[in-house]
Amino acid sequence: MKPAAKFAIVLVTAPDLKTARALAKAALSARLIACANLVPKIESHYRWQGKIESSAEVLLILKTRKSRLAALEKLALARHPYDTPEFLVLPVSAGGKNYLDWLAAATK
């Protein structure tokens, strides 16, 4: 295991696979992420504008450097169809050396 304080996992939900794929491709093309996992068919329940809502969504799990977070958030917010898209950042404390080396190289 290697310390990984300079990396982060970002969670973003999208309304469908087409949107999720477009967000992932844009972030990869800009080298803002090393990898995007798309988890389709999640069911989200939430409070929105005073009502309890639910919808089918796709969860994007994005792997990146902390130094890329501001640019990634800007890209995600600009290209996202929601008024208030999810953009949550989780810290990475450690990981496999080879994987973290690859993540660093892919986001340069």
Side-chain angles (χ1 to χ4, degrees):
M1 286 290 223
K2 177 179 177 178
K6 65 182 178 180
F7 301 109
I9 302 292
V10 176
L11 303 179
V12 176
T13 51
D16 52 49
L17 270 171
K18 182 179 178 183
T19 302
R21 287 177 178 143
L23 288 168
K25 184 176 181 180
L28 283 164
S29 295
R31 298 185 73 91
L32 298 177
I33 62 171
C35 177
N37 301 118
L38 280 55
V39 184
K41 299 181 182 181
I42 66 166
E43 186 176 318
S44 296
H45 296 256
Y46 50 93
R47 184 173 295 280
W48 181 249
Q49 297 180 342
K51 296 180 184 175
I52 294 176
E53 304 279 349
S54 64
S55 59
E57 292 185 299
V58 177
L59 175 64
L60 288 88
I61 304 169
L62 310 173
K63 288 86 169 208
T64 191
R65 292 173 182 252
K66 286 184 178 177
S67 63
R68 297 286 204 215
L69 288 172
L72 179 58
E73 181 181 27
K74 184 177 179 180
L75 180 142
L77 296 180
R79 294 173 178 255
H80 207 289
Y82 290 170
D83 292 335
T84 308
E86 176 179 4
F87 190 90
L88 295 176
V89 179
L90 308 173
V92 175
S93 59
K97 180 190 179 321
N98 290 345
Y99 187 85
L100 295 177
D101 290 346
W102 167 79
L103 198 161
T107 53
K108 279 190 176 177

